[in-house]
Amino acid sequence: MVASVATSAFFPVSSSLSVASANGSKIINESSESLSVRGIVAKPSSSSGALKVKVQAQALPKVNGTKVGLKTEAQTAEEGAPSAPRTFYNQLPDWSFLFAAVTTIFLAAEKQFTLIDWKPRRPDMLADAFGLGKFMQDGLVFRQNFSIRSYEIGADRTASIETLMNHLQETALNHVKRAGLMGDGFGSTPEMSKRNLIWVVTKMQVLVEQYPSWEDVVEVDTWVAPSGKNGMRRDWHVRDYGTGKTVMKATSVWVMMNKQTRRLSKIPEEVRAEIGSYFVDRGPIIDEDDRKLSKLEHDTADYVRSGLTPRWGDLDINQHVNNVKYIGWILESAPTTILESHELVGMALEYRRECGKDSVLQSLTAVSSNGGASADGPQEAGLECQHLLRLESGAEIVRGRTEWRPKRAQGLQNMGPLPAGSG
Amino acid sequence: MAEILRCFISAGPIQFREAAPAVQCGGRRTAAAVRCVSRAAANGRAGVAALGLVAGAAAEVEEKGLAERLRLGSLVADGLSYKESFIVRCYEVGINKTATVETIANLLQEVGCNHAQSVGFSTDGFATTPTMRKLGLIWVTSRMHIEIYKYPAWGDVVEIETWCQSEGKIGTRRDWILKELATGEVIGRATSKWVMMNQHTRKLQRVSDEVREEYLVHCPRTPRLAFPEEDNGSLKKIPKLEDPAQYSRLGLVPRRADFDMNQHVNNVTYIGWVLESMPQEIIDTHELQTITLDYRRECQHDDLVDSLTSSEVTEDENTNGTSTSMLHKQDLQQFLHFLRLSGTGLEINRGRTEWRKLTR
């Protein structure tokens, strides 16, 4: 079922990438990259339990300024942690080193002073505050909070869909890490890493009920379940921390793949032993939408946006583009009129292939209306769009479908500049 | 009530010429700004209200301060600077397994906004003083200088302190210090210069005494500099790089996510564009230690942007014209940058970066 659908989607096609920069400028990245598929879980490997200890240590400062637990744990962690690429002070100009030394001295005094002001309310809120998350329900559900930062807001003053999807990714990784299952940092468990196996996302479905605003706090719950015989499903439920109301629900399907051969794999018994106990016996949080995602072509699309290229900041440690970026690119070709009048409430994605720094992408969108018009008239009806993100050379990256509803708070939309005395 | 610091967000760079759609300062969050006003303490020492974590805060503050408590930011006791801690998330980490410079810049922006809000500035999201609003004046960034000595990794907690001061007759300065919360080690510093501009005429304006009084109460009394040392990089002039540039990336396209709600490109996006034309061999072997950007003009929705880079020659070294032979005495590579509108060639900003070798 799912796995078999995924099978056909996943065999990478090595395409000749045109490493294009416009107008004949000097080509910077000449290596052509053979495309390979990877999963959303394969994210930066700041590895290991040692790091985990360190972070927890940070989260528990003592109110009176005594930092007994803090320092020692951090130090142990430092010794244990594998060295990430860092620069050492002895490589810096001397003044910088002196400045740091002087600052450290003042800091010790300052820290005493500022910590006194900060009275933690409850220990679990502290852990949440630093975004570490915690296990719920006998360890089967992992929960983490995020406060929406100012730069995560989109054009209409609410958190963008990319921000929400980023939170899902962070929670998933922290779930794996806190369960002690972080192998080589790709979201692969130790037994998977031994066998060069990775999880790869094939499908994602999202339903948004309301978008949070700047400074809202969202609470994200995540859990895993089996998907067929050899797949895994990961679901999320995002709520507004203050009101408890649902912000978003999401469900995703993953398959196991050998990262060298790129072939799909069954779940080995050893891996099943590691993760089986984490599988929850629950149906998907969103009813699966069985409708096929159609393939768009240039002539069937209503809008096309070409020349999309990854920036350095879009890449993860393997220099592959973070999956969440695809969503931004998909929406690049959605017409501005829809973005201004409607908000995204549903999304279904099929991941086919991934891309790297040298890829040049094209985003296609076709618009169709939903079946019934709402009582408010045809303008108030929902909309549906079909999407395709592909390389300009043709290879498909993601197929998608989005659903939109008219924005509710129309009053907020036309807020312009300064209220006082402005034109 | 003093407002200085305007959020860094869509700080439109200075426009010397033609009118373009208004350079809006930072304003995205009018809804949140309303909350902020009610949060500001009645006695004018808004610091008290902002310290939502202090027991005994009013019930209203407590309810509204949820995000503040969880965000762990507050004015320092003397009310003259603001500190906040952030945990680095997995999607903010880049190819070196450490936070990207864009992530750092975003956090600087965030803490600047939160500072402004915590002293009761952003009633309209623009961090302008009442006098400024009366006169239609806004803050724009003219220079940004960031130095990072140690990039934080996923899960690290960074504490950022920020404050502002007046700078000469026409500007203000916002400084930041970044520390690793666990060890207290300084991992970075930054400074930015802001000038006041009339948003209709696009002309620069002197900071009047009225405005100065309104915000001085929130600044440290004696000069406090993130870069106190003489001859520091944040003051160096940036020349225009010579034609032809060694490396370029032409026709860069602004994405939807790059724009704030006033349709101005976020400052952090410019940083990404400046780095686009860096050669792969440097990106693979070095990490960015310093970036200095002078903002001149901004980019609109339909513009395309060219990013140009060349090595910068220092007087100590010979060069055969390739960046790999350029070695600063501390093994730093230096580059000059230029961003321009593709169509007209007009300068958007210019910059300088320094890169240190990665120890792997």
Side-chain angles (χ1 to χ4, degrees):
Chain A
M1 30 155 297
V2 170
S4 57
V5 166
T7 312
S8 58
F10 265 105
F11 285 87
V13 170
S14 61
S15 60
S16 53
L17 294 178
S18 54
V19 180
S21 286
N23 303 334
S25 67
K26 175 171 169 171
I27 307 268
I28 296 161
N29 301 313
E30 306 213 279
S31 55
S32 71
E33 208 176 25
S34 65
L35 298 171
S36 53
V37 186
R38 263 190 61 253
I40 200 171
V41 184
K43 277 316 151 218
S45 67
S46 46
S47 38
S48 80
L51 189 64
K52 174 174 78 172
V53 171
K54 176 176 165 185
V55 173
Q56 284 176 340
Q58 290 163 355
L60 300 167
K62 304 285 190 278
V63 172
N64 292 326
T66 58
K67 303 184 282 296
V68 175
L70 189 75
K71 261 288 177 3
T72 35
E73 281 175 65
Q75 277 161 3
T76 332
E78 285 288 0
E79 288 146 45
S83 55
R86 292 193 180 186
T87 303
F88 298 97
Y89 273 126
N90 57 15
Q91 287 186 348
L92 292 172
D94 287 339
W95 52 257
S96 179
F97 186 83
L98 281 175
F99 182 87
V102 167
T103 311
T104 313
I105 296 168
F106 282 112
L107 276 176
E110 216 178 296
K111 194 173 233 173
Q112 298 261 347
F113 188 65
T114 52
L115 278 175
I116 287 168
D117 289 331
W118 179 31
K119 294 179 176 52
R121 299 289 175 135
R122 300 187 321 257
D124 58 349
M125 205 212 294
L126 259 190
D128 287 347
F130 272 117
L132 299 177
K134 58 191 179 195
F135 281 96
M136 317 285 296
Q137 288 183 40
D138 301 325
L140 290 176
V141 174
F142 183 77
R143 173 174 292 179
Q144 191 171 356
N145 293 342
F146 299 88
S147 85
I148 308 294
R149 296 176 182 164
S150 63
Y151 55 89
E152 296 177 323
I153 308 280
D156 52 4
R157 295 175 166 87
T158 54
S160 60
I161 184 71
E162 285 186 58
T163 297
L164 296 176
M165 301 296 291
N166 277 332
H167 293 162
L168 302 190
Q169 192 176 80
E170 172 81 354
T171 328
L173 270 187
N174 278 319
H175 182 190
V176 174
K177 186 162 99 162
R178 292 285 292 279
L181 290 176
M182 190 71 98
D184 57 2
F186 283 46
S188 298
T189 65
E191 290 295 328
M192 285 171 70
S193 306
K194 273 193 232 171
R195 295 167 175 74
N196 280 319
L197 295 173
I198 52 173
W199 286 117
V200 176
V201 63
T202 56
K203 280 187 176 182
M204 173 79 72
Q205 230 182 300
V206 165
L207 276 182
V208 180
E209 294 192 19
Q210 59 180 75
Y211 282 89
S213 310
W214 181 39
E215 291 204 313
D216 283 351
V217 177
V218 295
E219 180 178 81
V220 183
D221 284 354
T222 186
W223 58 94
V224 290
S227 175
K229 277 211 221 120
N230 285 299
M232 177 176 76
R233 191 180 81 240
R234 179 178 278 285
D235 285 3
W236 294 265
H237 189 182
V238 183
R239 277 178 282 250
D240 180 292
Y241 183 86
T243 65
K245 283 174 146 183
T246 293
V247 164
M248 180 170 93
K249 293 178 182 174
T251 179
S252 59
V253 176
W254 302 73
V255 294
M256 191 167 278
M257 176 181 284
N258 183 303
K259 72 177 172 192
Q260 245 95 54
T261 67
R262 316 312 300 187
R263 298 189 80 83
L264 291 185
S265 162
K266 292 194 199 296
I267 301 181
E269 276 317 303
E270 292 87 343
V271 176
R272 217 176 269 285
E274 282 176 318
I275 64 177
S277 57
Y278 287 91
F279 280 169
V280 165
D281 186 18
R282 264 202 230 192
I285 194 171
I286 303 176
D287 291 327
E288 226 177 301
D289 189 330
D290 282 335
R291 286 181 290 166
K292 234 167 98 68
L293 296 181
S294 51
K295 177 172 177 171
L296 292 180
E297 297 292 345
H298 214 282
D299 43 3
T300 51
D302 297 320
Y303 306 92
V304 179
R305 179 91 154 156
S306 303
L308 299 169
T309 53
R311 301 174 190 164
W312 288 118
D314 298 334
L315 306 180
D316 63 23
I317 47 159
N318 299 302
Q319 302 212 10
H320 291 132
V321 174
N322 185 320
N323 281 4
V324 174
K325 295 287 176 198
Y326 297 151
I327 296 168
W329 282 329
I330 283 170
L331 297 179
E332 277 298 313
S333 60
T336 322
T337 45
I338 291 186
L339 294 172
E340 284 171 355
S341 57
H342 288 66
E343 57 186 11
L344 180 72
V345 293
M347 189 166 63
L349 299 173
E350 263 175 35
Y351 292 89
R352 305 219 151 203
R353 202 173 270 104
E354 65 177 349
C355 63
K357 183 72 173 73
D358 302 334
S359 309
V360 184
L361 298 130
Q362 199 175 52
S363 171
L364 298 88
T365 296
V367 183
S368 55
S369 307
N370 271 351
S374 76
D376 302 305
Q379 280 93 351
E380 298 307 307
L383 284 173
E384 201 176 270
C385 296
Q386 314 288 330
H387 302 277
L388 179 67
L389 183 68
R390 66 180 185 195
L391 297 179
E392 283 192 341
S393 53
E396 287 185 48
I397 308 286
V398 185
R399 273 194 206 179
R401 180 180 56 240
T402 52
E403 278 129 30
W404 306 74
R405 72 170 171 232
K407 278 185 185 163
R408 291 170 190 165
Q410 298 293 332
L412 280 181
Q413 272 183 55
N414 300 319
M415 269 184 154
L418 305 174
S422 59
Chain B
M1 181 183 67
E3 306 217 358
I4 313 181
L5 305 196
R6 198 236 178 223
C7 311
F8 174 44
I9 308 170
S10 67
I14 304 169
Q15 303 213 14
F16 291 116
R17 260 171 261 177
E18 71 290 340
V23 169
Q24 302 303 347
C25 301
R28 307 175 164 182
R29 46 205 76 85
T30 322
V34 172
R35 270 184 279 171
C36 155
V37 174
S38 53
R39 208 173 19 214
N43 65 3
R45 284 291 293 176
V48 174
L51 290 169
L53 300 170
V54 174
E60 175 194 62
V61 172
E62 182 160 321
E63 173 230 297
K64 290 183 162 66
L66 174 64
E68 274 185 287
R69 289 205 300 274
L70 292 177
R71 141 179 116 215
L72 303 168
S74 62
L75 286 174
V76 169
D78 62 6
L80 300 178
S81 69
Y82 179 86
K83 261 189 202 171
E84 188 168 344
S85 297
F86 302 90
I87 191 167
V88 176
R89 298 174 183 166
C90 68
Y91 53 88
E92 297 174 323
V93 170
I95 59 179
N96 293 330
K97 303 185 192 178
T98 52
T100 60
V101 64
E102 285 105 323
T103 298
I104 303 285
N106 275 328
L107 293 178
L108 297 182
Q109 169 183 297
E110 172 76 2
V111 78
C113 278
N114 291 338
H115 180 197
Q117 210 202 30
S118 72
V119 296
F121 287 178
S122 305
T123 56
D124 57 0
F126 298 119
T128 47
T129 71
T131 311
M132 286 174 73
R133 279 198 294 285
K134 243 190 327 189
L135 303 171
L137 300 173
I138 52 177
W139 294 110
V140 290
T141 324
S142 63
R143 173 174 273 218
M144 185 73 192
H145 177 89
I146 304 174
E147 289 183 16
I148 304 168
Y149 312 117
K150 181 169 158 185
Y151 280 87
W154 177 37
D156 285 350
V157 179
V158 178
E159 183 191 72
I160 305 181
E161 185 185 357
T162 185
W163 66 94
C164 48
Q165 308 214 262
S166 63
E167 171 98 352
K169 291 256 167 16
I170 65 164
T172 63
R173 194 179 71 248
R174 179 181 273 288
D175 285 357
W176 295 265
I177 292 191
L178 295 89
K179 292 174 201 152
E180 186 166 23
L181 186 67
T183 61
E185 190 185 336
V186 172
I187 58 170
R189 298 183 289 166
T191 181
S192 59
K193 202 169 135 188
W194 303 73
V195 291
M196 213 160 46
M197 181 172 83
N198 185 304
Q199 66 166 25
H200 306 294
T201 68
R202 323 306 296 173
K203 284 204 164 44
L204 297 184
Q205 195 109 359
R206 239 184 115 253
V207 177
S208 71
D209 292 335
E210 274 175 297
V211 171
R212 198 183 297 276
E213 272 157 35
E214 280 174 318
Y215 70 73
L216 270 186
V217 63
H218 292 282
C219 299
R221 307 277 179 264
T222 52
R224 184 186 172 193
L225 300 163
F227 295 91
E229 64 275 16
E230 285 188 15
D231 201 31
N232 67 75
S234 70
L235 303 173
K236 267 162 72 173
K237 203 162 128 58
I238 300 176
K240 182 169 174 176
L241 49 74
E242 290 175 10
D243 218 6
Q246 269 178 291
Y247 310 99
S248 62
R249 187 87 158 164
L250 306 182
L252 295 170
V253 176
R255 301 172 187 166
R256 289 238 162 79
D258 297 330
F259 290 92
D260 66 19
M261 68 194 177
N262 294 305
Q263 299 309 307
H264 293 117
V265 170
N266 187 318
N267 274 6
V268 177
T269 302
Y270 292 116
I271 295 178
W273 281 338
V274 158
L275 299 179
E276 269 304 290
S277 51
M278 283 298 301
Q280 178 107 31
E281 58 264 23
I282 299 290
I283 299 275
D284 286 342
T285 54
H286 288 67
E287 69 181 354
L288 181 67
Q289 169 152 307
T290 305
I291 178 164
T292 315
L293 281 186
D294 280 339
Y295 292 87
R296 301 287 168 107
R297 189 175 275 101
E298 67 179 344
C299 167
Q300 313 291 345
H301 236 298
D302 298 323
D303 289 330
L304 294 179
V305 171
D306 293 341
S307 171
L308 309 169
T309 294
S310 291
S311 315
E312 186 173 24
V313 186
T314 59
E315 57 275 14
D316 305 339
E317 308 293 338
N318 290 329
T319 174
N320 63 9
T322 63
S323 66
T324 47
S325 69
M326 276 286 314
L327 287 179
H328 212 256
K329 46 184 153 59
Q330 277 99 5
D331 210 19
L332 287 181
Q333 303 261 11
Q334 240 174 278
F335 294 88
L336 286 177
H337 303 273
F338 196 77
L339 267 192
R340 66 179 185 210
L341 295 172
S342 299
T344 57
L346 290 172
E347 176 176 351
I348 297 175
N349 60 35
R350 60 176 67 178
R352 173 186 285 115
T353 52
E354 283 176 0
W355 301 73
R356 60 173 177 257
K357 231 169 157 51
L358 277 168
T359 49
R360 287 205 191 272

